[in-house]
Amino acid sequence: MAAALRAALAAAWLLAGAAAAAENYPSRPVRVVVGFPAGGPTDAIARIVAQKLTDNLGQQFYVENIGGAGGNTAAGQVARVTPDGYTIMAISTGFVVNPSLYAKVPYDAVKDFAPVTLVAVSPNVVVVNPQVAAKTLPELVQLVRDNPGKYSFAGPGVGSTPHLGGELFRLAFKLDLVHVPFTGAGPAIQATVGGHTPIAFTALPPALSAVQSGQLRALGVASTERAAGMPDVPTFAEQGVKDQEADTLTGIVAPAGTPKEIVDLLYREIAKIVAQPDVKERLTTLGFKAVANTPEEFGARIRLEMDKWGKVVRDAKLRIE
């Protein structure tokens, strides 16, 4: 009985301490880890959120870039820090894809992290060089079928959401379509503008200016609704291509065990931030749409994305050792 009482008192003391820490949060600077070099969309959105959190909560939220292994290095480090709310992480879709794609990753996307919120999403788009005859996705499917072995598509690296979206498209229609990986979206777009790879699957932001200038033709948006930056481009579903949605996600997670009060506070603050007109405008400029769902909803989305892309990775027989 005495041992049980001591255990109960210890648990109560720990809970009281956690509650007090959460009540005073943040009382010192907060590190926002990004698993990629500065300048990309995940980094840009993390900096928007960090600056607004700094303004609203009275403590500095600062971004730290830890590149390597498609975000795995950073995720592995964040998974093992003290879960006190003073280290959080901005993630992209690679966070949910990499556990299936890589032979080994240093984290468990579900067990090692507490979801905070999905900040914003950006759809993938299919673009072609203007010399390609297809004007719609069904026409592209027919063109590739009529010319086996002739067509390839550019993508920003193996395992990226655009690459997997391209594989999903290829598998759905059983196409002889080869992926040509590039070191990023920029080189993939330039190769398609130059006609070296006639087709590209890419996230919306890097393709936007090339489409608007006429250097590329957009055939479809892999989303449930049309993109604000390309209102005249129909979705996949509008063209009869079902179950091909492929969003690039940007969200915030914390190490598992972070007090719920802190997770909920961060969610509420970020939801208020992305609802602000100036932030919405900046996200739209980046090619993203604000979401800010609840921690529970984001957790469900993480599991859904892991299952969806894990199947594509297995069916396409993709692997990074």
Side-chain angles (χ1 to χ4, degrees):
M1 289 293 291
L5 179 60
R6 285 196 299 272
L9 289 173
W13 181 81
L14 287 171
L15 285 172
E23 187 176 341
N24 297 323
Y25 177 87
S27 59
R28 53 187 170 86
V30 177
R31 181 172 65 140
V32 184
V33 173
V34 174
F36 307 98
T42 307
D43 175 73
I45 293 173
R47 291 178 188 277
I48 292 170
V49 170
Q51 184 57 58
K52 290 289 187 178
L53 287 172
T54 298
D55 296 342
N56 295 352
L57 295 179
Q59 285 287 347
Q60 183 185 14
F61 283 70
Y62 65 95
V63 171
E64 180 178 331
N65 299 92
I66 304 175
N72 291 343
T73 302
Q77 291 184 22
V78 174
R80 285 155 186 78
V81 303
T82 302
D84 55 9
Y86 289 93
T87 296
I88 59 178
M89 184 175 179
I91 63 164
S92 71
T93 307
F95 178 81
V96 296
V97 171
N98 291 352
S100 298
L101 181 65
Y102 284 76
K104 186 176 182 181
V105 295
Y107 68 94
D108 185 304
V110 175
K111 294 179 181 178
D112 290 341
F113 291 91
V116 176
T117 188
L118 175 58
V119 178
V121 298
S122 179
N124 288 343
V125 296
V126 181
V127 294
V128 297
N129 183 280
Q131 299 301 315
V132 173
K135 302 292 196 299
T136 66
L137 289 176
E139 288 180 7
L140 181 65
V141 169
Q142 194 59 51
L143 183 67
V144 175
R145 281 179 172 165
D146 290 345
N147 297 273
K150 180 178 178 181
Y151 284 95
S152 60
F153 73 93
V158 174
S160 63
T161 318
H163 170 215
L164 296 181
E167 294 290 351
L168 184 61
F169 185 76
R170 178 184 67 81
L171 290 166
F173 293 99
K174 298 180 173 58
L175 301 177
D176 186 356
L177 188 61
V178 177
H179 173 234
V180 181
F182 287 85
T183 56
I189 292 295
Q190 288 307 310
T192 311
V193 169
H196 307 298
T197 47
I199 306 162
F201 281 74
T202 177
L204 174 62
L208 197 53
S209 62
V211 171
Q212 291 171 340
S213 66
Q215 292 177 294
L216 293 176
R217 180 191 307 124
L219 301 189
V221 179
S223 181
T224 55
E225 57 187 38
R226 296 192 182 198
M230 298 179 180
D232 297 331
V233 179
T235 66
F236 278 41
E238 286 178 302
Q239 300 178 69
V241 181
K242 306 294 186 182
D243 302 319
Q244 294 275 315
E245 286 76 23
D247 288 326
T248 294
L249 313 180
T250 300
I252 300 293
V253 297
T258 300
K260 186 176 186 302
E261 294 85 356
I262 291 176
V263 169
D264 289 344
L265 170 67
L266 289 169
Y267 154 63
R268 290 194 302 271
E269 289 297 325
I270 293 170
K272 288 191 289 188
I273 287 167
V274 301
Q276 295 173 3
D278 63 319
V279 174
K280 279 189 172 182
E281 183 178 348
R282 291 169 73 183
L283 291 174
T284 299
T285 300
L286 289 170
F288 280 78
K289 176 187 175 184
V291 178
N293 58 6
T294 67
E296 294 75 20
E297 289 168 338
F298 188 29
R301 180 68 182 268
I302 285 173
R303 292 188 291 274
L304 184 148
E305 295 283 326
M306 288 181 71
D307 290 344
K308 175 181 179 176
W309 296 121
K311 184 178 187 305
V312 174
V313 167
R314 291 189 297 274
D315 290 349
K317 297 179 172 57
L318 304 175
R319 199 69 167 168
I320 296 178
E321 297 297 332

